[in-house]
Amino acid sequence: MKASLAILSLLATGALSREVPANVKSLYKSIRSKGQCSKVLKTGFFSSEDDSKDFSYCGDHLESDGILYIQGKGGKLTNMDIDCDGILSKKHGECDSSGDIQYETRFRKEVQGYKKGLKDLDAYVHSYVVLGNEGKKNNYIEFNPQSVGIEPLSVVAVVCGDKMFYGVWGDTNGDDGPPLVGEASLTIGQACYGKSINGNNGHDENDVLYIAFRGNQAVPGANGAAWNAKTFTEFENSLAKIGDKLVKGIKG
């Protein structure tokens, strides 16, 4: 009975998750038990607008494992707000409830440069993560992941509960609000937490681990991913060859 319910749940979300590897489970546990990162790359960010302003981009494992992650204090990681930017292949869908849609992502020109017939990423298809903060307002806190070797459209592993999915760094946070962290495309949100997730309803708990990998080896490029995929599953699976190799390099 439990197995049948699990299968029905997976079918409802439209995505089959990959098992979280032992080394990533160990990394997740060690990061949370440590409480907060010791090598802060930039701090002063919010996980949500009413949260504490003490979330940081962390470089604790940058030299040893080549990864960047985000963490607050007291063992908190970050949440998962939903990004619906870019092109939207559905005229009416779960992104309609979002009051913060920008019809382009930060790396649309790079996507177009791949010459796959795409004008931009699609929140209904592509698994992408929002990293970095940029803006022109006074006192807005900025951080550019490229400053530590994270490349645009590079593979990012997302650990949500007992699930793990691959995405790409596809967008940045702007200054239309406070400097926020913890955001991913609608497709990742629904793969992690089901169809109740929409443009105005994400995952509030600060227990999501976003793992970004530095270096060109993390970039699929024009031919290393199914950019013109029609479904989340097709695109996410196309990142597995690179993602699995990167994940294996984490010491945990």
Side-chain angles (χ1 to χ4, degrees), residues 93-220:
E94 297 93 330
C95 277
D96 290 355
S97 59
S98 175
D100 187 34
I101 296 177
Q102 308 293 324
Y103 292 99
E104 57 184 34
T105 67
R106 179 64 176 81
F107 303 123
R108 66 192 181 284
K109 290 183 180 179
E110 286 82 351
V111 172
Q112 293 170 8
Y114 287 162
K115 301 187 184 303
K116 299 297 181 180
L118 287 179
K119 293 182 178 180
D120 206 341
L121 297 175
D122 184 346
Y124 287 118
V125 174
H126 298 105
S127 50
Y128 68 83
V129 172
V130 181
L131 296 172
N133 300 73
E134 53 186 355
K136 297 181 180 179
K137 291 184 178 179
N138 289 337
N139 300 317
Y140 184 82
I141 299 174
E142 295 186 286
F143 177 70
N144 183 358
Q146 289 182 265
S147 66
V148 293
I150 309 299
E151 298 295 333
L153 301 177
S154 58
V155 170
V156 179
V158 180
V159 182
C160 46
D162 60 353
K163 302 175 183 179
M164 186 178 79
F165 296 98
Y166 293 128
V168 295
W169 174 26
D171 206 359
T172 59
N173 282 292
D175 62 2
D176 53 336
L180 292 167
V181 291
E183 189 172 5
S185 64
L186 176 74
T187 52
I188 295 183
Q190 291 189 338
C192 286
Y193 302 110
K195 287 292 186 179
S196 64
I197 299 297
N198 58 51
N200 194 44
N201 182 46
H203 174 75
D204 294 332
E205 295 297 319
N206 290 312
D207 58 2
V208 183
L209 178 61
Y210 301 92
I211 306 172
F213 302 87
R214 70 176 181 178
N216 290 327
Q217 73 274 12
V219 182

Side-chain angles (χ1 to χ4, degrees), residues 64-112:
S64 60
D65 298 315
I67 62 173
L68 170 151
Y69 62 94
I70 306 169
Q71 186 173 23
K73 293 184 177 179
K76 293 180 180 179
L77 293 174
T78 186
N79 66 0
M80 186 181 289
D81 294 327
I82 300 304
D83 191 281
C84 284
D85 295 350
I87 59 173
L88 297 174
S89 54
K90 289 184 181 180
K91 291 184 178 180
H92 299 289
E94 297 93 330
C95 277
D96 290 355
S97 59
S98 175
D100 187 34
I101 296 177
Q102 308 293 324
Y103 292 99
E104 57 184 34
T105 67
R106 179 64 176 81
F107 303 123
R108 66 192 181 284
K109 290 183 180 179
E110 286 82 351
V111 172
Q112 293 170 8

Side-chain angles (χ1 to χ4, degrees), residues 11-98:
L11 290 173
T13 63
L16 296 173
S17 65
R18 59 189 74 254
E19 183 178 353
V20 182
N23 63 328
V24 176
K25 288 181 180 178
S26 177
L27 175 71
Y28 184 98
K29 183 178 179 180
S30 67
I31 288 174
R32 298 209 69 177
S33 62
K34 187 177 181 180
Q36 63 189 68
C37 59
S38 55
K39 186 176 181 181
V40 176
L41 301 173
K42 199 65 174 287
T43 193
F45 301 95
F46 297 84
S47 179
S48 59
E49 293 190 14
D50 58 352
D51 213 331
S52 55
K53 192 181 179 182
D54 56 12
F55 288 80
S56 306
Y57 288 93
C58 303
D60 294 38
H61 294 263
L62 193 60
E63 297 304 323
S64 60
D65 298 315
I67 62 173
L68 170 151
Y69 62 94
I70 306 169
Q71 186 173 23
K73 293 184 177 179
K76 293 180 180 179
L77 293 174
T78 186
N79 66 0
M80 186 181 289
D81 294 327
I82 300 304
D83 191 281
C84 284
D85 295 350
I87 59 173
L88 297 174
S89 54
K90 289 184 181 180
K91 291 184 178 180
H92 299 289
E94 297 93 330
C95 277
D96 290 355
S97 59
S98 175

